[in-house]
Amino acid sequence: MSSSLPVARAIDFLCERTSSKSRVMALLAHDNGPSSLTAVLTCKDPDQAFEAVGILRRVLARRDATTVDHELKALTTEMPDAPAGWLRQAVVHAASGTWQAQPGTLFVVPDPDPSEDETASDVPSGLVGHPRLKDLPGKVVRIAHLYEFHVTDEDALLRAAVDRGWEPLPASELGDDDPRDLIGAVMALTEDPDVAGTQTLEEQSSAELLSVEDGDELADWSAAPVVTRFTHGWRLRSQQTRPAAEDQTPNFAALFATRDCPRKGEDEDSEECGWQLTPRTADLLHIALVVLADQTYDDAQRLGDQFLSDADSATWGVFDRLPPLTWTADHRWRLRMARAFDDLAADLAKGNWPNPTCTAEEMALHLAIEDAPTYREDRPAEDDHNTLPEHEDDYGWGSCSDLMFQDHDVLMLFHSKFTGIEDADHPANQFLGVGDLREAAWFDPFDNRGIRDPRRGFRR
């Protein structure tokens, strides 16, 4: 190979498989030009090609060919002479980390003799064409996981990952913030309940059924990134959002004192024995509303009059959780949305059930009921919440959703099959008696509900 050829660097090795052959490719980076894929070897056994890729990746990561001597000898003994020779030569190059090659050319590798398999076809094996969600006859479940690991012993973590067959990225591919590829090592071990050398700080899962009617699509076909919202932490926020000393936390034990059913043991389904909003439920719902109000004020300050879709941040506390028709709202609309959470929190602080008086408050209460359960998790025994009296109706979030609303019409705005229903002139809107759900009407008071004091202003 001529020494005058430019030097390229191997970044990775890949395997290309068809029904007639398998080809190992090297991904090269060039100093003057784009990266390129070049053939390393071709063989008919897909398992041999897959194993060859593993050997080359390990050599590339360690820059040491001696670490694969045994594997290389065993594999090349099984392979035909030509691909075995190409693999040995590629191992030498992988160990050096440099390649003398024209962009797009590493080795000239002839395809297998067509006479060896006259009926062979280059049609890829397996499923041809990834289906779309609408093409699948059954249910599709999407599961996302969230983990947080505190690395307490880097060496133990790396040893465990290597023992599982993990190979670190080349040093040239690693940044100064992670020179040992701890991220890759942790990722290689996350299927284990305990990752060696780490302490698990958080583990959450989110699951949903995908629905064409709701506008869902499989990840490979999705026009937008797949985004999953996990529950947020309560520790810092619950402390920050407790009222200041001059405005103490409401005494929910007194405000929502529970009562015994007078017909206990006789007819517990009577109206007198119905579900109660208990002190513990009210406390968590109040925390959720105050947190959401603070997040909404923060979002409003950052966004101003910008359209949400045009803003440069993908991390919002509340506004990206609202129906898309609200994403073009202005700053004042957003301040009024923040106040909607405050108004409902004030209902609870007065000992009343949260009383949505407009569409915005209905949406606010839906979000609070969704978030409230997260503020119950992992609370220490001495926490104020745990000193409140217990009751069998505690944390009845389903009952909150059933009993605190006139209807759930606002939730239709999240579903693509109801596009246009926000307009009071839309036929489906008139048929269902939905009313005006357009952004501008969100703060119009319901006819049969109390009207908030128009002089109350904004908390922030």
Side-chain angles (χ1 to χ4, degrees):
M1 189 176 294
S2 172
S3 60
S4 63
L5 291 176
V7 174
R9 300 182 306 280
I11 302 173
D12 196 7
F13 293 92
L14 309 169
C15 187
E16 177 190 53
R17 180 181 176 184
T18 71
S19 60
S20 63
K21 62 179 180 287
S22 293
R23 177 177 292 164
V24 175
M25 311 288 289
L27 178 60
L28 301 182
H30 303 273
D31 292 333
N32 298 305
S35 299
S36 64
L37 276 174
T38 60
V40 174
L41 64 87
T42 303
C43 63
K44 299 182 67 173
D45 189 326
D47 292 334
Q48 290 178 352
F50 182 79
E51 189 175 347
V53 167
I55 289 173
L56 290 167
R57 284 177 170 172
R58 286 190 287 278
V59 173
L60 184 63
R62 296 181 174 88
R63 296 290 195 268
D64 184 359
T66 62
T67 60
V68 298
D69 281 348
H70 179 74
E71 300 168 76
L72 180 62
K73 182 177 181 180
L75 178 59
T76 53
T77 300
E78 299 175 357
M79 299 175 76
D81 290 342
W86 298 327
L87 177 57
R88 294 189 191 98
Q89 189 176 5
V91 166
V92 173
H93 284 274
S96 70
T98 60
W99 307 72
Q100 287 186 324
Q102 296 285 359
T105 304
L106 175 58
F107 303 113
V108 178
V109 183
D111 286 336
D113 186 346
S115 63
E116 296 179 5
D117 186 1
E118 295 180 357
T119 63
S121 169
D122 282 346
V123 178
S125 60
L127 183 63
V128 177
H130 195 308
R132 302 193 68 151
L133 182 60
K134 64 181 177 61
D135 299 325
L136 299 174
K139 301 291 187 183
V140 175
V141 178
R142 173 178 290 154
I143 299 177
H145 298 288
L146 168 68
Y147 297 99
E148 292 174 348
F149 297 100
H150 173 211
V151 179
T152 56
D153 187 334
E154 292 187 5
D155 292 337
L157 168 65
L158 295 171
R159 285 195 299 270
V162 169
D163 289 345
R164 287 285 297 271
W166 167 76
E167 303 154 13
L169 288 172
S172 60
E173 298 298 308
L174 297 172
D176 295 337
D177 59 332
D178 188 17
R180 305 185 73 184
D181 197 11
L182 300 180
I183 293 176
V186 171
M187 290 181 66
L189 297 173
T190 51
E191 292 184 1
D192 295 336
D194 296 306
V195 175
T198 73
Q199 174 191 11
T200 303
L201 301 177
E202 185 68 44
E203 180 177 351
Q204 294 185 33
S205 294
S206 172
E208 60 178 321
L209 279 173
L210 300 187
S211 167
V212 174
E213 290 76 15
D214 292 343
D216 295 330
E217 182 52 277
L218 301 177
D220 278 359
W221 285 101
S222 180
V226 175
V227 177
T228 300
R229 181 179 294 275
F230 292 98
T231 59
H232 48 283
W234 59 265
R235 290 175 174 81
L236 178 60
R237 285 174 176 154
S238 64
Q239 295 301 316
Q240 290 176 329
T241 58
R242 288 296 190 182
E246 63 273 14
D247 185 15
Q248 294 295 325
T249 303
N251 183 354
F252 289 116
L255 291 169
F256 294 94
T258 56
R259 63 189 183 281
D260 291 330
C261 175
R263 297 177 179 271
K264 192 171 181 65
E266 301 175 16
D267 182 12
E268 297 187 20
D269 291 329
S270 69
E271 186 174 339
E272 297 173 278
C273 299
W275 179 82
Q276 301 177 59
L277 179 58
T278 67
R280 292 193 175 207
T281 306
D283 182 49
L284 295 191
L285 197 54
H286 183 262
I287 291 173
L289 285 164
V290 177
V291 170
L292 285 163
D294 282 338
Q295 291 175 328
T296 311
Y297 278 118
D298 290 342
D299 281 1
Q301 182 178 6
R302 291 168 58 198
L303 278 168
D305 291 328
Q306 292 184 86
F307 291 178
L308 187 72
S309 56
D310 295 338
D312 59 2
S313 174
T315 56
W316 303 103
V318 175
F319 288 122
D320 61 350
R321 299 175 65 184
L322 302 182
L325 65 83
T326 68
W327 291 0
T328 58
D330 62 15
H331 183 241
R332 179 166 175 78
W333 190 99
R334 289 164 176 153
L335 288 177
R336 297 178 76 185
M337 189 68 217
R339 188 172 60 185
F341 293 104
D342 275 342
D343 287 338
L344 294 170
D347 288 342
L348 286 165
K350 295 173 184 175
N352 301 319
W353 280 28
N355 178 32
T357 65
C358 61
T359 300
E361 290 181 18
E362 283 190 329
M363 190 69 250
L365 187 55
H366 279 298
L367 295 182
I369 292 171
E370 179 182 338
D371 289 0
T374 68
Y375 294 106
R376 181 187 175 192
E377 299 168 3
D378 302 325
R379 286 189 172 276
E382 65 275 12
D383 184 84
D384 289 345
H385 177 78
N386 289 329
T387 66
L388 294 171
E390 295 185 72
H391 191 274
E392 61 183 4
D393 286 341
D394 285 343
Y395 316 122
W397 309 117
S399 295
C400 287
S401 184
D402 290 339
L403 301 175
M404 292 179 178
F405 299 88
Q406 295 186 79
D407 55 57
H408 292 175
D409 290 348
V410 68
L411 299 182
M412 291 192 292
L413 299 179
F414 289 102
H415 300 296
S416 59
K417 66 181 178 181
F418 294 120
T419 299
I421 201 170
E422 67 274 8
D423 191 334
D425 293 330
H426 191 280
N429 184 304
Q430 294 183 347
F431 177 77
L432 297 173
V434 172
D436 194 349
L437 295 180
R438 290 173 294 182
E439 167 198 317
W442 270 39
F443 302 98
D444 294 347
F446 298 144
D447 293 339
N448 60 341
R449 294 293 180 103
I451 299 177
R452 305 286 184 187
D453 182 357
R455 299 166 298 177
R456 66 196 184 283
F458 298 99
R459 177 164 59 89
R460 287 172 51 183

